[in-house]
Structure formats: structure tokens, C-alpha cells
Amino acid sequence: GNSVTQMEGPVTLSEEAFLTINCTYTATGYPSLFWYVQYPGEGLQLLLKATKADDKGSNKGFEATYRKETTSFHLEKGSVQVSDSAVYFCALSKEGGRRALTFGSGTRLQVQP
Amino acid sequence: DADVTQTPRNRITKTGKRIMLECSQTKGHDRMYWYRQDPGLGLRLIYYSFDVKDINKGEISDGYSVSRQAQAKFSLSLESAIPNQTALYFCATSDRVIAGGSTDTQYFGPGTRLTVL
């Protein structure tokens, strides 16, 4: 079946540091890939997505590239801010299938001033 | 107003009680989902519905039931709550997949924190 593996957190960074959160997946066919973000006390919000190999999703300074050869979708940001502190979830959705999203376990990011 | 609302936001109940969590959406989406979130486990799918007459079990449906009362409403019930159902529950919606197009985005409600004593 489909699965998503994320690096464990928490990840603690200083403001303006470079961020990488690793995500790898297992799926048959060609899933769509997503990063969702959950701010404290809130629901999940879509951060970015990519629907085919070599696509790059980007939003709010975050980027992730769909790498089919390494089955990865790592999240990066060049300069994090305190306001980026949240839990980040990698997820996949099998295009054309009836399944809903399959999520990774989430990575908590803490950015210190 | 929020597009996806959940009620209640917090609930504490006792073992054996029947609980209903409600979800409403104003996005006009056909598809609705219920997930639970546990620390370190991410979100796991409980049930999903592609329209009012199409309801499907997810990966952890045991102990839960659902009702799709209308396109905009999707309720989750715990017939006899037990402590390991203590979790954060999320409702989500999405539009149908466009033929030949990409999978659409899911939109989440704010969550219901349920504690079963």
C-alpha cells in the first residue's frame, strides 16, 4: 500500500536558517504529493503540491520538488521565520484512485528568534 | 465565515457514551472525509464519502460510523466511546477529480479534540 515517511522532529532552528524536512514515499503509479502545515490550535492548510515528476511546488518561500527517481518530496526554505513554527505533514494522493490522502507522521518545526 | 466547520471543538466524555461529531461545509464540494490525528502518527482516514449515497470505510473505521445527511453535512459517531478513541478529529472536503486533471486539494476544518475518560 501507499506510505509516507518523514524525518522525525522536532527540528529547532534559529531565525534566518535554512530548512530541509525530508519526505519519501512508497506508492504504485504516479501519486500527487503535498505538504500541509498545521499552526498551533488550527487545522491543516495546504502549503504546496506537485502532481507529476520533476514538478516544483512553491508557496510562501517554501519549495519542494517531486523526484520520482528517489521517491522524495523534500521541503526546503532558504530563511525561516519565527512565524513558520508549526507542524509540517507530507502526504500523497493516488491520482484516479478512491483513496484519500496518506499522511506522514508530521515534523514539528520550532524557530527561535 | 470558515468554509469547513466542526462542532463541538472540544468534548470530554466517559467510556461507553455515544458521541456525535458534526462537520459542515460551504464549499459546495462533493467529497468529505473524517480523519483522526494522534501524536507521532499523523492523520489516519476513518471514513470518506464521495456523495450522499457513496460512503466508504477508511483504514481505521472500527468503532466508528458516519452519516452523510446532505452534500454539505457529514457526521461521525462513536457508538460506545473508549479511551483509545481520545484524539483530535478532522473533517476535510475536496472537489471531484477532473478527468485527465490533477488530484484536487483537501480543505480541513479546525478539528474537534475528543477526550474519553
Side-chain angles (χ1 to χ4, degrees), chain A residues 40-93:
Chain A
E42 298 184 12
L44 279 71
Q45 304 172 26
L46 178 69
L47 181 59
L48 55 84
K49 69 179 183 181
T51 58
K52 61 182 185 294
D54 300 324
D55 269 2
K56 177 184 285 187
S58 61
N59 185 27
K60 300 181 181 179
F62 291 89
E63 293 182 340
T65 301
Y66 189 144
R67 301 288 188 198
K68 188 163 180 62
E69 64 276 13
T70 55
T71 62
S72 65
F73 193 54
H74 304 321
L75 183 68
E76 297 182 336
K77 186 175 186 182
S79 176
V80 294
Q81 305 300 312
V82 172
S83 58
D84 293 326
S85 298
V87 181
Y88 292 81
F89 292 93
C90 186
L92 69 82
S93 178

Side-chain angles (χ1 to χ4, degrees), chain B residues 14-98:
Chain B
K14 295 182 179 180
T15 296
K17 294 293 187 180
R18 185 179 187 275
I19 296 297
M20 179 180 286
L21 309 182
E22 298 185 338
C23 176
S24 295
Q25 53 112 348
T26 58
K27 300 188 75 67
H29 287 167
D30 289 329
R31 301 179 173 197
M32 299 186 73
Y33 309 83
W34 276 104
Y35 294 89
R36 65 176 278 175
Q37 182 181 20
D38 297 279
L41 293 178
L43 279 74
R44 293 179 292 166
L45 181 66
I46 305 172
Y47 269 95
Y48 60 104
S49 171
F50 280 14
D51 65 40
V52 175
K53 296 181 180 180
D54 183 1
I55 294 178
N56 306 274
K57 293 182 177 180
E59 58 185 296
I60 54 163
S61 59
D62 288 348
Y64 301 94
S65 62
V66 292
S67 173
R68 184 82 183 265
Q69 300 95 326
Q71 186 201 36
K73 296 184 182 295
F74 192 37
S75 300
L76 176 72
S77 294
L78 288 67
E79 297 301 326
S80 179
I82 56 177
N84 76 1
Q85 291 177 314
T86 294
L88 190 55
Y89 289 84
F90 287 103
C91 175
T93 74
S94 71
D95 208 346
R96 67 186 64 192
V97 175
I98 300 170

Side-chain angles (χ1 to χ4, degrees), chain A residues 28-39:
Chain A
T28 57
Y30 303 93
S32 294
L33 301 174
F34 304 81
W35 277 101
Y36 278 82
V37 58
Q38 183 180 30
Y39 297 104

Side-chain angles (χ1 to χ4, degrees), chain A residues 15 27 30 43 77 81-82 86 94 100-101 105 108:
Chain A
E15 207 165 22
Y30 303 93
K77 186 175 186 182
Q81 305 300 312
V82 172
K94 180 68 183 301
L101 292 170
S105 57
R108 181 175 299 278

